[in-house]
Amino acid sequence: MSKAWQKRLADARAHRQQRERWRTRQVAKSNTLDFAGNDYLGLAKDPRVLEAQAEGARRLGAGAGASHLVSGHLKIHDALEEALARWTGRERALLFSTGYMANLGVLQALADRHTALFQDRLNHTSLIDGAALSGARSRRFHHRDAIDLESLLSRSECAHKLVVSDGVFSMDGDIADIASLITVAQRHDAWLMIDDAHGVGMIGDNGSGCVGSAWSSKDVPILVGTLGKALGTAGAFVAGDTELIDHLIQFSRSYIYTTAQPPAIAAATLKALEIVQSEPELRAQLNANIAYFRHEALQLGLPLSDSATPIQPLILGDETRTLSWALQLQQKGIQAGAIRPPTVPKGESRLRVTLSARHQHDDIDQLIAALHHCQHQEALCSPCV
């Protein structure tokens, strides 16, 4: 390695370590209680989904072998896209390998320097990166603030305007005001794009998310969803009218130039989608777990945010405090996400607790007891501060 590059990497490492923000990976332990993942309905370990994936691999192979536009697009991909389109009430759906690639691909294909993008300040990083890749002029409106969005749109003279928002916000767990976004976007002749990664599967009468069949493609022309959260598998999709999907097939680089989703994953997702639509009791169990956790946490005075979704952040503020609580949970065999800047704003570090339909009350009780222990330890040490 050249000395210049060696110094650059060393300086970046030292800077991040000095700020105590160095990220580390850990191999997940099978005997750990997982309150960090996004498997909201527990389908990642559902025996029916596992068998569908295994059977799909035996029948169709471990991988697709090529991109969708070469020879990697199989009948099972067609079947999954059709099922996703029906589920969300759209004409068409298009599979992507990941949610990140879907967001990059949509924004790169639709926007350019003549486009005005308007994004919620708390949008996922993939949407921010997609905007940068597109070269479009991008403005950020205050979180869930339709008045601020209206003000920004009213000052734009661009012919092509695109409003972009998460459906469920991944760090706070709150839900976008879809109705207001639709009203404001249509008033200013703008398209609306909703990334419902954390909503599909666990919100709505049929689990189709914040948008799903509740709002048509006229209201929300671009709907993005992921398969690796509530559906328990991997990949993502974009749903919309035929004109949109045809455009993405022609111009979305992250779709065109990557190997198609493994057919076994598509088979597993079809089974997961069938379960989501036929077993609403999974969502009922998830919602019961959310209510139980919130009741018990509020009894302890834990700093919960106002979230009705499986994402239940405990805003601890201080980064060192957040890491300490996460470590104490880990020592008791419980995994929860320790989220710090730059992922969240300075002063808003948190434990990101996520709930699943697979959790039992005993599991939640263990988590509550461990959080109470963290409180107790802080109380013991407070006179020393």
Side-chain angles (χ1 to χ4, degrees):
M1 184 185 296
S2 73
K3 289 183 178 180
W5 277 106
Q6 190 171 27
K7 183 177 185 306
R8 179 173 178 176
L9 270 57
D11 288 347
R13 181 188 185 98
H15 179 69
R16 178 148 287 187
Q17 287 178 331
Q18 286 167 5
R19 302 179 72 186
E20 297 184 348
R21 292 179 181 174
W22 186 255
R23 295 183 172 103
T24 58
R25 296 187 306 173
Q26 296 183 4
V27 176
K29 298 177 181 178
S30 59
N31 61 345
T32 298
L33 269 178
D34 184 6
F35 285 97
N38 301 318
D39 182 22
Y40 301 130
L41 298 179
L43 294 178
K45 295 182 179 178
D46 188 293
R48 297 166 292 180
V49 177
L50 300 180
E51 178 53 34
Q53 184 167 335
E55 192 279 331
R58 287 191 294 267
R59 182 165 56 92
L60 300 169
S67 68
H68 284 278
L69 293 179
V70 178
S71 62
H73 189 75
L74 309 179
K75 286 185 178 180
I76 198 159
H77 293 128
D78 253 0
L80 178 54
E81 289 180 344
E82 290 170 4
L84 290 167
R86 287 194 301 273
W87 187 42
T88 57
R90 265 60 185 166
E91 288 182 356
R92 299 267 300 279
L94 189 68
L95 289 173
F96 282 78
S97 297
T98 67
Y100 211 108
M101 292 177 68
N103 283 335
L104 291 183
V106 168
L107 292 173
Q108 167 268 313
L110 290 178
D112 58 21
R113 63 188 181 87
H114 302 293
T115 309
L117 292 180
F118 303 87
Q119 298 215 41
D120 189 291
R121 284 188 180 276
L122 296 188
N123 274 357
H124 190 267
T125 300
S126 58
L127 294 168
I128 306 306
D129 288 355
L133 180 65
S134 74
R137 289 172 282 181
S138 190
R139 299 292 302 273
R140 308 279 289 277
F141 58 92
H142 298 313
H143 180 51
R144 298 184 77 251
D145 189 337
I147 295 174
D148 189 41
L149 171 62
E150 177 100 52
S151 175
L152 293 175
L153 280 166
S154 66
R155 297 199 296 270
S156 174
E157 297 180 357
C158 283
H160 300 102
K161 296 181 281 289
L162 179 59
V163 176
V164 185
S165 176
D166 282 5
V168 174
F169 290 88
S170 61
M171 290 298 113
D172 288 78
D174 55 346
I175 302 173
D177 183 352
I178 306 293
S180 293
L181 290 173
I182 291 170
T183 298
V184 174
Q186 290 183 347
R187 186 179 294 139
H188 294 274
D189 198 25
W191 260 17
L192 176 60
M193 172 181 176
I194 298 294
D195 174 11
D196 206 16
H198 293 269
V200 292
M202 62 96 183
I203 291 179
D205 291 339
N206 67 348
S208 59
C210 301
V211 177
S213 55
W215 304 104
S216 72
S217 57
K218 179 181 178 182
D219 302 311
V220 183
I222 309 161
L223 173 61
V224 179
T226 52
L227 312 175
K229 296 178 175 66
L231 288 169
T233 58
F237 67 92
V238 179
D241 289 344
T242 293
E243 292 82 0
L244 170 69
I245 302 305
D246 281 346
H247 184 86
L248 295 178
I249 291 172
Q250 297 301 317
F251 299 104
S252 176
R253 295 168 70 87
S254 63
Y255 175 81
I256 297 166
Y257 299 109
T258 195
T259 301
Q261 182 187 71
I265 299 295
T269 306
L270 277 168
K271 175 55 68 174
L273 188 55
E274 176 188 318
I275 294 169
V276 166
Q277 295 179 88
S278 64
E279 299 182 15
E281 58 267 29
L282 286 175
R283 290 189 294 281
Q285 181 60 51
L286 173 61
N287 288 328
N289 285 346
I290 295 168
Y292 181 70
F293 169 78
R294 287 188 63 83
H295 177 269
E296 298 300 305
L298 289 171
Q299 290 287 98
L300 292 180
L302 289 167
L304 284 178
S305 68
D306 186 18
S307 167
T309 70
I311 302 166
Q312 294 291 319
L314 302 179
I315 311 299
L316 300 177
D318 182 73
E319 297 178 43
T320 302
R321 183 189 186 200
T322 300
L323 291 173
S324 173
W325 280 45
L327 179 59
Q328 290 178 68
L329 293 185
Q330 188 178 356
Q331 291 168 345
K332 292 182 178 295
I334 298 172
Q335 187 71 34
I339 310 298
R340 301 167 288 154
T343 304
V344 293
K346 186 177 180 180
E348 295 186 20
S349 293
R350 75 222 24 218
L351 283 182
R352 181 181 183 269
V353 172
T354 52
L355 297 160
S356 168
R358 289 183 68 88
H359 288 135
Q360 303 297 313
H361 275 201
D362 285 349
D363 301 328
I364 298 172
D365 287 342
Q366 287 185 55
L367 172 62
I368 291 294
L371 292 169
H372 185 46
H373 172 78
C374 293
Q375 287 180 309
H376 181 65
Q377 292 299 110
E378 278 192 350
L380 289 176
C381 293
S382 60
C384 305
V385 176

